[in-house]
Amino acid sequence: MKAALNSFKKKLAQLGRSMLVPVTAMPVAGILSRIASPDMLNIPLLKSAGDIVFGNMDILFALGAVVAFAKAKDKVSPMVASLLSILVLKSTLAALDETISMGIFAGIIVGCFTAWIFNHSKDWKTPKIFDFFTGEKFVITLAPIATVGLGYVLSFIWPPIQMVLDGFAIGIAKLGAVGVFIFGFLNRLLIPVGLHHVFNSYIYFNLGSYTQADGTVVTGEMTRFLAGDPTAGLFLSMFFVVMMFGLPGAALAMYKCAKKRKSEVKGLMTSSAITSFVTGITEPLEFSFMFVAPQLYFVHALYTGLAGAVCYLLGIRIGFSSGGNIIDLVLNWGLGSNVILIIPVGIAFFALYYFTFRFLIVKYNLKTLGREDDFIDSEEITEEEKNATLSNKNYAYIAKKIVENLGGAANIENIGHCMTRLRVETKDASLMNLEKIKQMGVKGVITLSDTSVQIIIGSEVQQVMAEIEQII
């Protein structure tokens, strides 16, 4: 039972990683679409370039899912197969039942289905005359053909599922402020296991529908808002309050409570707060207290939901393309409603986060940055290892030691990264030395199962990953 649960958690974490592909593609598309809108620069050609991304989210999700689950270092073949397969599925469903609308779920299912075919067919043996088409390229032939059958099955299975999902959307909407609170709370609560993208995706890309002037139908809170839907944005306004005001308040509290290394803590908290305010990327700041003080993180999740409920009750309606940051606030101000109220609400939440975090840290002696107990590892640490922290930018050495302490390149079955984490699957857990990895200056190590770990690097994860790719 435990093994099955660990396997399920691992698969969900991989699925969460796949959600990052479309999310990464959205900022530029959203900015293009917004600044080219009729009420701004009014450049239809530029707007259509941005809108094309929102019109093909299912394709992006298919690519994301196949990248997450295909077991290969070179994933070009499964990606090509996934692209062909999602086009085949859309055509098949349209021919069988035009009323079926799977949205992003079509992409997720096709991506997982293609990865499954790839993982099972890449080692199949065939007559030598077919060698060119087999091996890792075999999926390009098999997946689109198999997807026709998948489409036929889904034409029976999906309609009742679609009714349930629609009911969920309607139910959340009918709950009003309570529904928004639940969404905000779960949105943050799922971040530690990397599954918030799974939960977000339905709200962002499938909740509700809106028909534009040219007849194009778009779905999802994010896409509907950017398309000009006057009812969209109620589920998104909370993030401006939390990312621009609440979390910076938490950062100030942690700095004020630090007992040692004040200048270092000040630098880390300042840079993390600015990152949250300007870009909407919150992981560097959230990870600084998520594991050392989970009580604070639970409060943070509650306050995110509370911010959503308050914004809903005040009729604050604003959306984003990249996140609840100052850039999106300025660009999308004209599309929203009661946006000016973000400022007083944000100031109130800055104070709420600051005083709550400061009270809890002091009262319960929480070990946030600058308050850690002195610790001497019984295992000898070399001077070279002591100096090999991310602060000195020695990415090559850090990558080398991470690979070494994961059991070597041969023990790494799959490795990838999101905005702040390395996500690793190994073959033999006994070969890993996670304590040594923690000594490399990383921000934390999460064990999802015996062979699946996440190494929290921070904003420099891409540089570390680039060095790891040179090794393996």
Side-chain angles (χ1 to χ4, degrees):
M1 181 66 182
K2 183 179 178 181
L5 181 61
N6 286 336
S7 177
F8 180 69
K9 286 167 59 179
K10 183 169 69 173
K11 296 300 182 185
L12 281 179
Q14 285 179 276
L15 184 60
R17 180 176 66 191
S18 76
M19 302 298 112
L20 289 172
V21 174
V23 171
T24 302
M26 289 200 67
V28 173
I31 292 171
L32 281 176
S33 180
R34 182 68 191 101
I35 65 176
S37 297
D39 62 323
M40 295 191 75
L41 298 181
N42 192 22
I43 308 175
L45 184 62
L46 195 60
K47 188 175 189 307
S48 66
D51 289 346
I52 196 68
V53 173
F54 298 114
N56 291 284
M57 294 304 298
D58 51 358
I59 293 177
L60 293 177
F61 274 87
L63 294 173
V66 78
V67 167
F69 291 110
K71 296 179 180 179
K73 291 182 179 179
D74 183 353
K75 303 191 179 185
V76 172
S77 291
M79 289 177 69
V80 171
S82 183
L83 173 59
L84 294 174
S85 296
I86 185 63
L87 296 176
V88 168
L89 180 66
K90 292 168 73 172
S91 176
T92 302
L93 291 177
L96 294 171
D97 186 348
E98 292 184 351
T99 66
I100 295 177
S101 176
M102 294 187 65
I104 61 166
F105 292 101
I108 294 172
I109 291 171
V110 164
C112 295
F113 183 64
T114 303
W116 180 82
I117 291 175
F118 173 78
N119 294 337
H120 286 81
S121 67
K122 62 182 179 178
D123 296 322
W124 286 0
K125 302 300 181 183
T126 60
K128 289 191 68 67
I129 192 173
F130 299 116
D131 276 356
F132 178 79
F133 301 98
T134 53
E136 293 195 349
K137 293 192 290 290
F138 206 179
V139 68
I140 299 175
T141 301
L142 292 177
I145 295 173
T147 300
V148 175
L150 175 66
Y152 183 76
V153 173
L154 288 173
S155 70
F156 291 99
I157 294 175
W158 191 257
I161 296 176
Q162 189 170 314
M163 289 179 61
V164 172
L165 291 175
D166 288 343
F168 168 78
I170 294 170
I172 286 289
K174 285 183 177 179
L175 288 175
V178 174
V180 176
F181 172 86
I182 293 171
F183 168 64
F185 175 68
L186 292 178
N187 172 275
R188 294 294 96 179
L189 203 63
L190 292 173
I191 282 182
V193 290
L195 301 181
H196 54 302
H197 298 297
V198 178
F199 183 67
N200 292 352
S201 296
Y202 182 76
I203 300 296
Y204 286 178
F205 307 121
N206 267 69
L207 181 62
S209 63
Y210 174 66
T211 304
Q212 300 182 89
D214 62 359
T216 303
V217 177
V218 294
T219 61
E221 274 282 289
M222 188 184 294
T223 46
R224 286 190 295 113
F225 178 85
L226 295 172
D229 185 352
T231 66
L234 292 171
F235 281 80
L236 306 178
S237 55
M238 72 184 84
F239 296 111
F240 292 92
V241 173
V242 171
M243 295 176 181
M244 292 175 56
F245 298 93
L247 282 172
L252 179 61
M254 287 187 283
Y255 163 63
K256 289 292 186 180
C257 291
K259 294 179 178 180
K260 52 190 176 182
R261 300 185 289 112
K262 294 280 286 189
S263 60
E264 179 184 340
V265 175
K266 180 180 180 180
L268 288 170
M269 291 297 98
T270 300
S271 63
S272 296
I274 291 174
T275 298
S276 181
F277 184 86
V278 175
T279 70
I281 296 174
T282 59
E283 283 90 344
L285 186 46
E286 288 169 326
F287 286 145
S288 70
F289 63 88
M290 182 186 294
F291 304 109
V292 297
Q295 306 95 316
L296 296 181
Y297 195 79
F298 184 79
V299 169
H300 168 46
L302 284 175
Y303 282 176
T304 301
L306 179 62
V310 169
C311 290
Y312 183 93
L313 293 173
L314 293 176
I316 301 173
R317 189 182 60 80
I318 185 169
F320 51 75
S321 60
S322 61
N325 55 61
I326 185 62
I327 298 172
D328 270 288
L329 183 69
V330 172
L331 287 177
N332 298 324
W333 189 290
L335 285 177
S337 303
N338 297 326
V339 181
I340 188 67
L341 296 179
I342 287 284
I343 297 174
V345 171
I347 292 172
F349 269 81
F350 179 94
L352 185 62
Y353 267 80
Y354 174 76
F355 288 111
T356 303
F357 270 53
R358 187 162 187 173
F359 171 78
L360 292 174
I361 291 170
V362 174
K363 182 173 178 60
Y364 296 103
N365 192 26
L366 301 180
K367 305 303 180 181
T368 50
L369 289 172
R371 297 176 62 86
E372 308 94 333
D373 294 327
D374 292 330
F375 175 73
I376 300 175
D377 198 320
S378 59
E379 199 169 0
E380 184 181 353
I381 303 174
T382 66
E383 280 301 316
E384 189 175 23
E385 285 178 337
K386 288 180 181 178
N387 294 327
T389 62
L390 297 186
S391 59
N392 65 22
K393 314 299 181 185
N394 196 349
Y395 304 125
Y397 182 76
I398 293 169
K400 176 185 175 183
K401 298 300 289 184
I402 286 176
V403 171
E404 177 184 308
N405 289 297
L406 285 172
N411 194 44
I412 298 174
E413 184 173 51
N414 195 18
I415 187 168
H417 71 90
C418 59
M419 294 182 193
T420 55
R421 305 179 184 186
L422 292 174
R423 298 172 181 259
V424 187
E425 290 180 45
T426 61
K427 299 174 183 177
D428 186 348
S430 67
L431 299 178
M432 293 192 293
N433 189 335
L434 300 184
E435 290 304 315
K436 276 290 189 181
I437 291 176
K438 293 175 184 177
Q439 295 170 12
M440 305 308 300
V442 302
K443 293 179 171 61
V445 177
I446 306 171
T447 303
L448 296 178
S449 70
D450 290 342
T451 57
S452 180
V453 297
Q454 295 180 2
I455 303 170
I456 303 168
I457 301 293
S459 59
E460 298 166 306
V461 66
Q462 292 188 39
Q463 291 93 319
V464 175
M465 183 64 196
E467 295 294 339
I468 289 176
E469 287 175 341
Q470 294 296 318
I471 299 172
I472 64 175

